[in-house]
Amino acid sequence: MVNHAYTEVKPETCENSVNWTGQNKVKKIQPRQDNIVIHPPSSCPHQGDQQMSLSTEYHHITIYIQDNERVVYGPERMITVPPRHYCIIENPVLKDKECKVVFDESGQAKLVHADQEIRLAQDPFPLYPGEILKQVVTPLKVVAANSALRLRAILDFEDDDEEKRTAGDEWLFEGPGTYIPRKEVVIEETVRATVIRPNQAIRLRARKETIDRQGVARVTGEEWLVKKTGAYLPGAYEEVVDVVNAYVLTDKKALHMRSLRTFKDDFGVTRKNGEEWLIKMTDTETHIPNVYEEVVGVVNITTLTSRQYCIILDPSDEHGRPQLGRKKLVKGECSFFLLPGERFERGIQNVYVLGEDEGVILRATESFKDTDAPDEKDVERKPGDKWMIRGPAEYVPPVEVEVIMKRTAIPLDENEGIYVRDIKTGKVRAVTGETYMLNQDEELWAKELPPAVETLLAQGKDPMADRSDRSKSSDSSKPRDKTRVVTFRVPHNAAVQIYDYKEKKARVVFGPELVMLGPDEQFTQLSLSGETADHARLSLQLSYNWHFDIKNKEDKTEASKIFSVPDFVGDACKAIASRIRGAVAQVQFDDFHKNSARIIRSSVFGFDDKDKVREVFKFPQNNLVFTSIDIQSVEPVDQRTRDALQKSVQLAIEITTNSQEAAARHEAERLEQEAKGRLERQKISDEAEAEKSRKQLLELQANSAAVESTGQAKAEAQSRAEAARIEGEAAVDQAKLKSQAMKIEAESELERLTQAREAELKYVREQNDMELSKSKEMSTIETTKFKNMVDAIGANTLATMASAGPDQQVRMLQSLGLKSTLITDGSTPINLFNTANGLIGGMMPAKRSRRSEEEDDD
């Protein structure tokens, strides 16, 4: 086995060099600063000292291997451990008290099997047979400041400080320093210090029972904080859980904390498990939560102005204990923090500022003494009591009071009103013509009307208006406010009957007038027939004008006659239809068809004493008067009569049509004859003009033929000349363009070649410069290297090395007993003339000189 290493041994100590010579064959080995492991013969008398001399004492040795020996491994360099390095050897050799290797009887080094040895900086050394280089030469671990190595013992031992270490123990090797490894210790990890900045802390946890750096005993799993600013290096059984930043408190922020277990906080207050509290700026400017504290959240300050208030539910007392189920009123101007468990009932509310037309209705939720009563003092309020406060005033309701609603006065004109109901008695009344505010026992009441009346009110129909005005009024209608007093504007020449169901009385209002219904009043609704037609031999559709004739509107008897007949239009139509039917039955259809208007008018209105048709037709039951009547359409009911009437109408239409056709035909024939005469005259004049035009055409054709015959030849000659000229010009232009193209190609090719040559020259020049620079630098390096080598070796050493070969050869020849020798390679010619003289003449002096040299050596 061969191992790399170096050893410094002087050549003068080589007098004990070993030469093993066998009877059969001698083998020579010349290592250079090397180490060889050899299996020597068992009869060698110096086999024990031989291995020591090979590995530790000699620099240059010559070993002769006999036939019964063999080289197992090598030569290899010995192991060199420079300063601040180490290596680990497995199965190291056994050494005595003087640190010498112990050998067995056969000359082999004894090994400590299954053991390790850490070797630091020393002289180069080889590995003995059986030794293994487990870890190559490695620099020692340098531990910087604010860091450490966490070490663990794998074997029981006693360190340099006479401290006993048990397998499994852990400790720190803190820097700055260089760690010297031991075979009983392994490195678990590199621990670096944690920098604790201002307003910071680190949270530590004990991995095992230990004592921290403050000398406090810690149990396994215990956590604590380190707040001291600077670098903190955790102990062997400490681990950094987290870096905790401090919360900066201001006048507007506080911390809501919760206790995770019973402990004493930083302010010396004992906190129970689950207890919650606030930390304000008055307590501390910055706070780092303890390991047994939990930050629930950041609480912002609540600020109330002088016009605000709030109600806090479950308020805390002066000791911080919550009073569940209670309420607390806080009025502005103030600022405070909500304590844990406290909450707003309805948030921050504004103070009720009541004007002259405003008020609030209040209700007591529990018994209390009211000191804010406007008229009385110290009024006892019971739960459920309701009262009202009117403005102008400012009001903040106590915690025992609930604000039901805010009321505003309702301004009412002389013709406006509202329905008000007393919620205690249920009585409904109408309030009109004043500004009224509902009190705590009143509410607006909605008056319901029949759907038909609602439709009529919404449409706002005027009996005297025409249909276009009625459609416009119906389109612009809006939903009725049922809490407002129902009003209806009775137009001129109209009447409205209103019935009071509570008083059981009716009243009639004549227009123009504004009707306002009371809570128990309703309009009297009449169902009227729009138009009717009585079927006889003819179906007539009539239109008429009517009105009610009331002489004295103040007379209630006369006024009530208007509504005595529910369907007065239907009754009137029946009476008029009977009169018309009787009158029409007495005349022929042709007479009725010719004099229908007179017959119907006379039958409806009748005749007076002077046999004149009357102007009106009056119904005395309700004073209904018809003033005029007109026929809109007349249609026979009998099919035969309808067909005969249709035939007669068609015959009249046909006669009229034939007469009109005959007149039109006669007129068309006359116009046709006149048109034919004008056409004949026009034809004659057109033929004369055509002959003149034909004569001119012939003259123009003759002239164009002459021009064509001469112009064609001239045009052909001109075209040939022009074509020749164009071809010549094109050939000249083409030649010019070709020459320009060739010139451009030649110039571009020349430019390309020029650029290529310049680029190539530049590349060759730069390459030559680089080669020249490289050659200069290499020559400088070689010169410097050779000079440094010569300076390092020295002139004497070089001279000795130069003469070492010839000297060795001379000594070899001397040991062989040769007087002279000649060595040649066989290819170089050698001048042998006068060689014998030199040998014969110089034999004795050479012999004497050799003997003198030997005597000098002795």
Side-chain angles (χ1 to χ4, degrees), residues 263-271 277 287 290 293:
F263 76 104
K264 183 176 290 186
D265 62 6
D266 297 341
F267 309 104
V269 181
T270 301
R271 301 295 182 182
W277 68 97
H287 179 69
N290 197 293
E293 294 177 347

Side-chain angles (χ1 to χ4, degrees), residues 669-684:
E669 290 177 355
R670 184 181 63 81
L671 295 176
E672 183 181 2
Q673 292 296 328
E674 292 179 356
K676 284 183 179 180
R678 289 195 297 272
L679 179 60
E680 290 297 333
R681 291 194 298 270
Q682 186 67 31
K683 283 183 179 180
I684 294 171

Side-chain angles (χ1 to χ4, degrees), residues 531-532 540-544 576-577 580 600 604 629-634:
E531 61 184 22
T532 182
L540 305 177
Q541 185 174 354
L542 308 177
S543 62
Y544 44 82
I576 293 173
I580 293 174
I600 290 175
V604 173
I629 191 169
D630 190 15
I631 300 174
Q632 290 186 346
S633 65
V634 177

Side-chain angles (χ1 to χ4, degrees), residues 136-175:
V136 297
V137 178
T138 306
L140 293 174
K141 186 176 289 294
V142 178
V143 183
N146 294 330
S147 61
L149 298 177
R150 186 160 64 86
L151 308 177
R152 180 171 58 85
I154 57 177
L155 296 174
D156 297 344
F157 73 98
E158 186 174 344
D159 59 9
D160 298 336
D161 298 333
E162 296 183 357
E163 183 178 356
K164 293 183 179 181
R165 303 287 186 182
T166 307
D169 287 349
E170 295 183 3
W171 68 97
L172 293 182
F173 177 80
E174 301 182 7

